[in-house]
Amino acid sequence: MDKYKSIDAQLVGGKKDTGFTASQIYYLTHQILKLTSHLESHSEDYSSQRGLRKLLSKRRRLLIYLSDENTALYIRVVKNLGIRGLKGR
C-alpha cells in the first residue's frame, strides 16, 4: 500500500481516483518500470516481455485518449513522468 501512496502523492491535481485517466497512466508507468528492471536481469523471460508489451500498448492508448480530451493535462503528465510524448501529437 505504501507504493500506491507515493504514486498518489505524485498525481496531477491531487486526484486519487483510480478510474481517472492520469491515475491509470501513473500506475501503468510504475508497473512498466518494475517489469523493465526485472527484464534487465531475466532477459529470456518471454512471458514478462509479452506482459510489458501489453502494458506499453495500454498506456499508449490512454495517452492518445488523454491528448484528445485534455491536452494541458496530457502535457503535464508526460512532463512529470519523464516519458516521451506521442509521435505527431
Side-chain angles (χ1 to χ4, degrees):
M1 291 306 268
D2 291 335
K3 65 181 175 184
Y4 293 114
K5 288 181 183 177
S6 66
I7 293 171
D8 285 339
Q10 296 175 1
L11 290 178
V12 177
K15 292 202 176 203
K16 297 180 182 179
D17 178 21
T18 56
F20 186 55
T21 308
S23 299
Q24 291 182 28
I25 293 170
Y26 274 89
Y27 289 121
L28 283 172
T29 301
H30 180 70
Q31 288 178 327
I32 288 168
L33 292 174
K34 285 190 339 185
L35 205 48
T36 303
S37 66
H38 166 77
L39 284 171
E40 287 175 355
S41 58
H42 302 93
S43 60
E44 295 185 11
D45 187 354
Y46 298 113
S47 298
S48 294
Q49 288 178 8
R50 180 174 183 259
L52 178 63
R53 284 193 300 268
K54 287 177 77 171
L55 290 175
L56 287 169
S57 64
K58 185 171 186 173
R59 183 178 72 178
R60 183 174 174 268
R61 287 192 306 267
L62 286 170
L63 284 169
I64 288 171
Y65 172 78
L66 188 62
S67 71
D68 290 341
E69 294 296 317
N70 191 345
T71 308
L73 181 59
Y74 164 76
I75 292 169
R76 279 192 289 166
V77 167
V78 168
K79 191 178 202 179
N80 286 347
L81 289 175
I83 58 177
R84 286 185 292 162
L86 300 168
K87 288 184 179 178
R89 290 189 186 257

PDB file of all heavy atoms in Angstrom, residues 34-49:
ATOM      1  N   LYS A  34       8.855  -1.400 -13.053  1.00  0.00           N
ATOM      2  CA  LYS A  34       9.172  -2.618 -12.309  1.00  0.00           C
ATOM      3  C   LYS A  34       9.475  -3.775 -13.254  1.00  0.00           C
ATOM      4  O   LYS A  34      10.443  -4.516 -13.061  1.00  0.00           O
ATOM      5  CB  LYS A  34       8.011  -3.014 -11.389  1.00  0.00           C
ATOM      6  CG  LYS A  34       7.877  -2.176 -10.158  1.00  0.00           C
ATOM      7  CD  LYS A  34       6.908  -2.691  -9.125  1.00  0.00           C
ATOM      8  CE  LYS A  34       5.868  -3.639  -9.597  1.00  0.00           C
ATOM      9  NZ  LYS A  34       4.890  -4.011  -8.583  1.00  0.00           N
ATOM     10  N   LEU A  35       8.664  -3.924 -14.281  1.00  0.00           N
ATOM     11  CA  LEU A  35       8.848  -5.019 -15.224  1.00  0.00           C
ATOM     12  C   LEU A  35      10.124  -4.841 -16.043  1.00  0.00           C
ATOM     13  O   LEU A  35      10.819  -5.815 -16.348  1.00  0.00           O
ATOM     14  CB  LEU A  35       7.635  -5.105 -16.144  1.00  0.00           C
ATOM     15  CG  LEU A  35       7.316  -6.430 -16.789  1.00  0.00           C
ATOM     16  CD1 LEU A  35       7.341  -7.571 -15.781  1.00  0.00           C
ATOM     17  CD2 LEU A  35       5.962  -6.378 -17.451  1.00  0.00           C
ATOM     18  N   THR A  36      10.458  -3.601 -16.371  1.00  0.00           N
ATOM     19  CA  THR A  36      11.686  -3.331 -17.111  1.00  0.00           C
ATOM     20  C   THR A  36      12.910  -3.710 -16.290  1.00  0.00           C
ATOM     21  O   THR A  36      13.858  -4.325 -16.807  1.00  0.00           O
ATOM     22  CB  THR A  36      11.756  -1.845 -17.505  1.00  0.00           C
ATOM     23  OG1 THR A  36      10.592  -1.533 -18.271  1.00  0.00           O
ATOM     24  CG2 THR A  36      12.992  -1.545 -18.313  1.00  0.00           C
ATOM     25  N   SER A  37      12.900  -3.375 -15.007  1.00  0.00           N
ATOM     26  CA  SER A  37      14.039  -3.739 -14.159  1.00  0.00           C
ATOM     27  C   SER A  37      14.125  -5.253 -13.990  1.00  0.00           C
ATOM     28  O   SER A  37      15.225  -5.810 -13.917  1.00  0.00           O
ATOM     29  CB  SER A  37      13.944  -3.054 -12.799  1.00  0.00           C
ATOM     30  OG  SER A  37      12.838  -3.545 -12.075  1.00  0.00           O
ATOM     31  N   HIS A  38      13.001  -5.948 -13.962  1.00  0.00           N
ATOM     32  CA  HIS A  38      13.003  -7.411 -13.883  1.00  0.00           C
ATOM     33  C   HIS A  38      13.613  -8.005 -15.155  1.00  0.00           C
ATOM     34  O   HIS A  38      14.419  -8.946 -15.087  1.00  0.00           O
ATOM     35  CB  HIS A  38      11.575  -7.931 -13.693  1.00  0.00           C
ATOM     36  CG  HIS A  38      11.430  -9.402 -13.928  1.00  0.00           C
ATOM     37  ND1 HIS A  38      11.840 -10.338 -13.009  1.00  0.00           N
ATOM     38  CD2 HIS A  38      10.940 -10.095 -14.980  1.00  0.00           C
ATOM     39  CE1 HIS A  38      11.606 -11.546 -13.485  1.00  0.00           C
ATOM     40  NE2 HIS A  38      11.056 -11.420 -14.681  1.00  0.00           N
ATOM     41  N   LEU A  39      13.250  -7.439 -16.303  1.00  0.00           N
ATOM     42  CA  LEU A  39      13.735  -7.982 -17.574  1.00  0.00           C
ATOM     43  C   LEU A  39      15.212  -7.698 -17.819  1.00  0.00           C
ATOM     44  O   LEU A  39      15.837  -8.377 -18.631  1.00  0.00           O
ATOM     45  CB  LEU A  39      12.897  -7.438 -18.731  1.00  0.00           C
ATOM     46  CG  LEU A  39      11.516  -8.075 -18.859  1.00  0.00           C
ATOM     47  CD1 LEU A  39      10.680  -7.329 -19.871  1.00  0.00           C
ATOM     48  CD2 LEU A  39      11.623  -9.538 -19.228  1.00  0.00           C
ATOM     49  N   GLU A  40      15.770  -6.707 -17.121  1.00  0.00           N
ATOM     50  CA  GLU A  40      17.199  -6.455 -17.264  1.00  0.00           C
ATOM     51  C   GLU A  40      18.017  -7.631 -16.742  1.00  0.00           C
ATOM     52  O   GLU A  40      19.071  -7.963 -17.279  1.00  0.00           O
ATOM     53  CB  GLU A  40      17.587  -5.179 -16.536  1.00  0.00           C
ATOM     54  CG  GLU A  40      17.127  -3.927 -17.245  1.00  0.00           C
ATOM     55  CD  GLU A  40      17.416  -2.673 -16.463  1.00  0.00           C
ATOM     56  OE1 GLU A  40      17.888  -2.758 -15.306  1.00  0.00           O
ATOM     57  OE2 GLU A  40      17.153  -1.590 -17.010  1.00  0.00           O
ATOM     58  N   SER A  41      17.539  -8.299 -15.703  1.00  0.00           N
ATOM     59  CA  SER A  41      18.267  -9.445 -15.156  1.00  0.00           C
ATOM     60  C   SER A  41      17.735 -10.784 -15.667  1.00  0.00           C
ATOM     61  O   SER A  41      18.409 -11.794 -15.535  1.00  0.00           O
ATOM     62  CB  SER A  41      18.214  -9.425 -13.623  1.00  0.00           C
ATOM     63  OG  SER A  41      16.875  -9.440 -13.185  1.00  0.00           O
ATOM     64  N   HIS A  42      16.539 -10.804 -16.242  1.00  0.00           N
ATOM     65  CA  HIS A  42      15.943 -12.030 -16.786  1.00  0.00           C
ATOM     66  C   HIS A  42      15.531 -11.774 -18.231  1.00  0.00           C
ATOM     67  O   HIS A  42      14.347 -11.702 -18.549  1.00  0.00           O
ATOM     68  CB  HIS A  42      14.725 -12.463 -15.963  1.00  0.00           C
ATOM     69  CG  HIS A  42      15.031 -12.696 -14.526  1.00  0.00           C
ATOM     70  ND1 HIS A  42      14.891 -11.711 -13.569  1.00  0.00           N
ATOM     71  CD2 HIS A  42      15.491 -13.794 -13.886  1.00  0.00           C
ATOM     72  CE1 HIS A  42      15.237 -12.207 -12.393  1.00  0.00           C
ATOM     73  NE2 HIS A  42      15.605 -13.471 -12.559  1.00  0.00           N
ATOM     74  N   SER A  43      16.522 -11.659 -19.097  1.00  0.00           N
ATOM     75  CA  SER A  43      16.265 -11.224 -20.468  1.00  0.00           C
ATOM     76  C   SER A  43      15.488 -12.240 -21.294  1.00  0.00           C
ATOM     77  O   SER A  43      14.889 -11.891 -22.304  1.00  0.00           O
ATOM     78  CB  SER A  43      17.579 -10.897 -21.170  1.00  0.00           C
ATOM     79  OG  SER A  43      18.407 -12.049 -21.184  1.00  0.00           O
ATOM     80  N   GLU A  44      15.477 -13.504 -20.915  1.00  0.00           N
ATOM     81  CA  GLU A  44      14.773 -14.523 -21.690  1.00  0.00           C
ATOM     82  C   GLU A  44      13.411 -14.876 -21.110  1.00  0.00           C
ATOM     83  O   GLU A  44      12.839 -15.907 -21.451  1.00  0.00           O
ATOM     84  CB  GLU A  44      15.637 -15.770 -21.811  1.00  0.00           C
ATOM     85  CG  GLU A  44      16.899 -15.518 -22.620  1.00  0.00           C
ATOM     86  CD  GLU A  44      17.710 -16.769 -22.859  1.00  0.00           C
ATOM     87  OE1 GLU A  44      17.209 -17.866 -22.581  1.00  0.00           O
ATOM     88  OE2 GLU A  44      18.843 -16.643 -23.329  1.00  0.00           O
ATOM     89  N   ASP A  45      12.880 -14.048 -20.255  1.00  0.00           N
ATOM     90  CA  ASP A  45      11.553 -14.264 -19.672  1.00  0.00           C
ATOM     91  C   ASP A  45      10.514 -13.737 -20.669  1.00  0.00           C
ATOM     92  O   ASP A  45      10.108 -12.590 -20.626  1.00  0.00           O
ATOM     93  CB  ASP A  45      11.451 -13.543 -18.327  1.00  0.00           C
ATOM     94  CG  ASP A  45      10.174 -13.858 -17.589  1.00  0.00           C
ATOM     95  OD1 ASP A  45       9.311 -14.546 -18.164  1.00  0.00           O
ATOM     96  OD2 ASP A  45      10.042 -13.422 -16.433  1.00  0.00           O
ATOM     97  N   TYR A  46      10.099 -14.612 -21.569  1.00  0.00           N
ATOM     98  CA  TYR A  46       9.238 -14.183 -22.666  1.00  0.00           C
ATOM     99  C   TYR A  46       7.827 -13.831 -22.207  1.00  0.00           C
ATOM    100  O   TYR A  46       7.168 -12.988 -22.810  1.00  0.00           O
ATOM    101  CB  TYR A  46       9.207 -15.244 -23.761  1.00  0.00           C
ATOM    102  CG  TYR A  46      10.570 -15.465 -24.353  1.00  0.00           C
ATOM    103  CD1 TYR A  46      11.245 -16.653 -24.191  1.00  0.00           C
ATOM    104  CD2 TYR A  46      11.204 -14.437 -25.056  1.00  0.00           C
ATOM    105  CE1 TYR A  46      12.512 -16.834 -24.714  1.00  0.00           C
ATOM    106  CE2 TYR A  46      12.465 -14.600 -25.579  1.00  0.00           C
ATOM    107  CZ  TYR A  46      13.116 -15.806 -25.411  1.00  0.00           C
ATOM    108  OH  TYR A  46      14.374 -15.973 -25.920  1.00  0.00           O
ATOM    109  N   SER A  47       7.365 -14.441 -21.148  1.00  0.00           N
ATOM    110  CA  SER A  47       6.041 -14.101 -20.622  1.00  0.00           C
ATOM    111  C   SER A  47       6.029 -12.663 -20.104  1.00  0.00           C
ATOM    112  O   SER A  47       5.070 -11.912 -20.318  1.00  0.00           O
ATOM    113  CB  SER A  47       5.645 -15.051 -19.494  1.00  0.00           C
ATOM    114  OG  SER A  47       5.557 -16.369 -19.972  1.00  0.00           O
ATOM    115  N   SER A  48       7.096 -12.282 -19.430  1.00  0.00           N
ATOM    116  CA  SER A  48       7.195 -10.910 -18.931  1.00  0.00           C
ATOM    117  C   SER A  48       7.353  -9.921 -20.080  1.00  0.00           C
ATOM    118  O   SER A  48       6.849  -8.799 -20.010  1.00  0.00           O
ATOM    119  CB  SER A  48       8.357 -10.772 -17.959  1.00  0.00           C
ATOM    120  OG  SER A  48       8.109 -11.516 -16.794  1.00  0.00           O
ATOM    121  N   GLN A  49       8.058 -10.327 -21.136  1.00  0.00           N
ATOM    122  CA  GLN A  49       8.192  -9.450 -22.301  1.00  0.00           C
ATOM    123  C   GLN A  49       6.837  -9.187 -22.934  1.00  0.00           C
ATOM    124  O   GLN A  49       6.521  -8.055 -23.311  1.00  0.00           O
ATOM    125  CB  GLN A  49       9.132 -10.078 -23.337  1.00  0.00           C
ATOM    126  CG  GLN A  49      10.574 -10.080 -22.935  1.00  0.00           C
ATOM    127  CD  GLN A  49      11.455 -10.761 -23.967  1.00  0.00           C
ATOM    128  OE1 GLN A  49      11.018 -11.107 -25.058  1.00  0.00           O
ATOM    129  NE2 GLN A  49      12.714 -10.963 -23.612  1.00  0.00           N
TER     130      GLN A  49
END
